[in-house]
Amino acid sequence: MASWGWIGLGMLSACLVASGVAHSAASRPEKGFQLDIGALTIVAKRDRISAPGFPDSTMNPFRKMDIHRFSLRHEGRPVSLSLPGRPGDAISSFNTVYVLKDAPRPALLVPSGMGVHLVEHGDHGLQVRALPAMDRPVAQLQWLDAAAGQPVAEQSPRLAEHAPAALTLQGGRWLLVNRSVVLDVRTLQYHAVRPWIPQGSDQPMAGLNASTEPALALSPQGSQYVALASGAGTDDGWDRALLVVDMPTGNPYGVPIPLRHRADVDAGLVDGAWVLRHFAWRNRSGVEELVHIDDMQAPHTPRI
């Protein structure tokens, strides 16, 4: 991958290091800067806006804050982004741009009011793809394998001043975007996933929904992730459940949480360690499956 470089547009307060870009913790972010990633360029310019009010979300016109706004260039030419079928709504100014450090070629992830875009430079020049992610007021990004192969906490972009190094996304291979797309950063391929079982369908545990919850655990082979789910009924004898999403197909299935664990769920004790303590992965003919520890020796029943 091409090496990175940056050129300050205003008073510079960061230092250049051999491995890339670093920002001095004791200094203020740059008034403006330019960050080159191969043929792609991020241009940051400082803007001053009214700061959010407290304790509610109203704006206080008497309090100001500095932020960075970003624009993109490809081989020196401006880049604008739009959703398919909406070219008239293209935008060219963004609140956040991320550099995918471990991508196989220069690549950026751009969350905006137009969705989340993957911008890259490859053998055929500029490529822009709108990810099929659910609309969110603020993008939600979560590494599924950054903590010894397990998920870390979600992160969301925010209005702020950013040092160049803060624009880098790295730490794992699988990036969950808006809880509805899994991006393989090593290949820049992605899979749309459905973190719910449609209500009224003939699938087991129909109505189970984890679209409002982050991922808790990842399977050993990295093919499935787990989230705590809520449901619409107990016709199948379940009261609390986990939703497991198969990443290659995007399809989910439910795993009941036994009633004796209900107190843990209600107390908010369900996290990745809890899941791996009470559940286990088994592999049948190359397909991973999450089961409760008590069911490890039970006969395998194919999922519908």
Side-chain angles (χ1 to χ4, degrees):
M1 184 187 302
S3 62
W4 303 354
W6 59 271
I7 304 172
L9 302 180
M11 294 297 293
L12 304 183
S13 61
C15 58
L16 184 64
V17 295
S19 60
V21 183
H23 172 62
S24 171
S27 62
R28 186 181 183 183
E30 290 79 4
K31 181 177 180 180
F33 59 87
Q34 177 174 308
L35 178 61
D36 296 314
I37 309 94
L40 299 171
T41 301
I42 300 171
V43 178
K45 293 185 178 181
R46 183 177 289 165
D47 192 10
R48 191 163 178 81
I49 64 171
S50 295
F54 181 84
D56 53 34
S57 60
T58 59
M59 304 300 289
N60 179 355
F62 302 105
R63 183 166 171 259
K64 301 292 184 180
M65 64 180 290
D66 290 327
I67 66 169
H68 276 134
R69 297 197 189 276
F70 300 91
S71 59
L72 304 179
R73 296 175 187 164
H74 176 256
E75 297 180 339
R77 294 184 292 273
V79 175
S80 59
L81 305 180
S82 62
L83 289 176
R86 296 172 56 184
D89 295 332
I91 59 175
S92 57
S93 178
F94 315 101
N95 294 329
T96 309
V97 177
Y98 291 112
V99 179
L100 297 176
K101 180 67 179 295
D102 297 321
R105 49 192 174 272
L108 310 173
L109 193 69
V110 187
S112 70
M114 299 299 295
V116 181
H117 287 77
L118 183 61
V119 179
E120 58 188 283
H121 174 82
D123 294 339
H124 302 289
L126 179 67
Q127 183 176 8
V128 178
R129 288 181 282 174
L131 301 184
M134 290 189 294
D135 289 336
R136 301 280 186 183
V138 178
Q140 295 164 313
L141 307 174
Q142 183 181 20
W143 289 111
L144 296 178
D145 59 343
Q150 293 300 307
V152 296
E154 284 184 323
Q155 65 182 89
S156 295
R158 61 188 180 89
L159 287 171
E161 290 183 285
H162 299 274
L167 304 183
T168 299
L169 265 181
Q170 63 181 129
R173 174 176 182 174
W174 304 106
L175 184 65
L176 183 61
V177 180
N178 285 5
R179 300 175 182 163
S180 56
V181 171
V182 176
L183 173 66
D184 182 350
V185 173
R186 294 183 187 174
T187 65
L188 296 182
Q189 299 302 307
Y190 55 83
H191 305 280
V193 296
R194 176 167 48 84
W196 70 87
I197 301 175
Q199 180 74 39
S201 69
D202 59 0
Q203 299 179 56
M205 304 179 72
L208 197 65
N209 194 318
S211 62
T212 61
E213 297 291 338
L216 298 175
L218 184 69
S219 65
Q221 294 182 6
S223 68
Q224 300 181 357
Y225 70 87
V226 184
L228 182 63
S230 58
T234 58
D235 292 342
D236 293 331
W238 56 274
D239 185 65
R240 296 290 190 272
L242 299 173
L243 189 84
V244 186
V245 179
D246 183 73
M247 289 164 17
T249 65
N251 295 325
Y253 62 93
V255 180
I257 297 175
L259 290 177
R260 65 179 180 275
H261 297 314
R262 176 172 180 166
D264 290 349
V265 179
D266 293 342
L269 300 178
V270 176
D271 57 13
W274 186 95
V275 171
L276 298 179
R277 186 163 59 249
H278 296 290
F279 295 80
W281 297 97
R282 65 183 177 188
N283 191 308
R284 299 296 181 94
S285 302
V287 179
E288 294 182 292
E289 181 181 34
L290 185 73
V291 296
H292 191 265
I293 291 292
D294 294 347
D295 299 327
M296 277 298 290
Q297 303 305 320
H300 173 63
T301 301
R303 296 191 300 273
I304 298 176

